[in-house]
Amino acid sequence: MAAERLSTGIPSVDRLLKGGLETDCLTEIYGEGGSGKTLFCLEIAVRVARSGRWVVYIDTEGVSVDRLRAIAADDLDAVLDHLLLSTPKSLAEQGRAVAAVGALVRDRKRPVGLIVVDSGTYYYRLSLSGPDEDDARQALSVAVADLVSLALEEEVPVLFTNQVWRSIREGTLEPLGGSFLNHAAKTILRFDRLAGNRRRVVLLKHRSLPEGAAEFRITSTGLEGDGPG
Ligand code: ATP
Ligand code: MG
């Protein structure tokens, strides 16, 4: 059976993804700072909230209300009404936030149409190379596994953003989070910065689509991408 898709609202990206995000799995986005990961999450969150469903947004970065206002425009109040914002201050709190989201989605009192975790690896990164690294890896894996089950069982798409590290040997930007995250994410997108406000989305992994790429632009009112995918 073909999986349901959640439109991103960005035509070039929807073409790349044959309609949008799959609704029963975790989509990982990684890319360097300023590549548009957060704006992409906000853009989709606003679409879902506008449609009257709820968005759970686990935010470790401090969402810019200005950007949210710019994207939501006249619908800001309605969008805020459907946004359940959680701001964990540690990896342990992030894990508890994920568990709470599970309970909220499963009790089905509020139809949740999207779960965002941005950035999913901020606190994890802080503990790398420290004495807590193994515990942090375990905590991240548990949270990701919880999200994967939730997406699958409740058909709620999960958007999980990831940070990068530069491989000196290869000269490439690599995602954090290790192989567990790479396996758990059924779709993996890399965002690249191009000149000016242009950004490239590279589809690196998908259950049913080949690799490919699309572009979008960051504008004052949101993300636009109508050029050839
Ligand atoms: P990080 O890893 O640091 O969280 P990110 O990938 O989440 O980065 P975003 O916050 O989504 O990045 O995007 C920030 C980018 O968007 C910056 O390059 C910034 O210049 C650009 N940007 C933000 N607001 C506007 C605007 N109003 N018009 C054009 N570009 C903008
Ligand atoms: Mg960000």
Side-chain angles (χ1 to χ4, degrees), residues 1-227:
M1 199 174 73
E4 294 284 317
R5 299 282 208 269
L6 170 67
S7 169
T8 67
I10 309 164
S12 55
V13 179
D14 279 355
R15 268 201 301 281
L16 177 69
L17 298 175
K18 294 283 176 287
L21 305 177
E22 286 190 299
T23 55
D24 63 346
C25 65
L26 182 146
T27 295
E28 173 193 351
I29 303 173
Y30 75 90
E32 64 183 308
S35 58
K37 302 180 297 294
T38 295
L39 297 181
F40 185 80
C41 292
L42 288 175
E43 188 83 23
I44 303 176
V46 165
R47 278 183 74 77
V48 170
R50 264 195 186 123
S51 76
R53 281 165 302 154
W54 295 78
V55 175
V56 179
Y57 205 108
I58 300 178
D59 166 43
T60 65
E61 299 191 331
V63 164
S64 159
V65 178
D66 284 348
R67 284 304 283 171
L68 193 58
R69 184 178 292 119
I71 296 169
D74 293 344
D75 298 334
L76 182 65
D77 288 343
V79 165
L80 289 176
D81 272 351
H82 286 85
L83 204 60
L84 298 166
L85 188 65
S86 168
T87 54
K89 299 289 183 269
S90 66
L91 192 52
E93 278 189 27
Q94 182 176 320
R96 286 195 287 276
V98 167
V101 172
L104 183 117
V105 172
R106 287 189 167 96
D107 97 359
R108 299 191 184 170
K109 286 197 184 119
R110 295 168 169 160
V112 174
L114 177 69
I115 299 165
V116 175
V117 188
D118 180 34
S119 153
T121 51
Y122 177 78
Y123 294 117
Y124 169 73
R125 172 172 233 161
L126 291 182
S127 36
L128 290 181
S129 307
D132 301 332
E133 179 170 345
D134 287 346
D135 290 346
R137 194 181 314 279
Q138 173 68 10
L140 182 72
S141 300
V142 168
V144 167
D146 278 357
L147 290 165
V148 167
S149 311
L150 190 60
L152 186 62
E153 289 161 20
E154 298 293 321
E155 283 245 15
V156 182
V158 175
L159 260 184
F160 186 99
T161 71
N162 191 5
Q163 300 180 335
V164 290
W165 60 278
R166 184 172 291 280
S167 161
I168 306 292
R169 204 154 58 102
E170 309 289 338
T172 50
L173 292 172
E174 301 293 336
L176 292 171
S179 58
F180 182 80
L181 180 55
N182 274 342
H183 285 293
K186 291 301 162 219
T187 301
I188 301 180
L189 302 171
R190 190 188 74 222
F191 282 17
D192 297 333
R193 295 181 72 137
L194 303 178
N197 64 350
R198 289 170 50 230
R199 301 291 184 270
R200 185 198 296 123
V201 181
V202 181
L203 176 58
L204 293 169
K205 174 183 169 185
H206 195 284
R207 288 185 290 194
S208 59
L209 295 174
E211 292 176 17
E215 283 187 25
F216 64 80
R217 297 176 302 282
I218 302 176
T219 75
S220 57
T221 51
L223 305 185
E224 293 176 3
D226 44 15

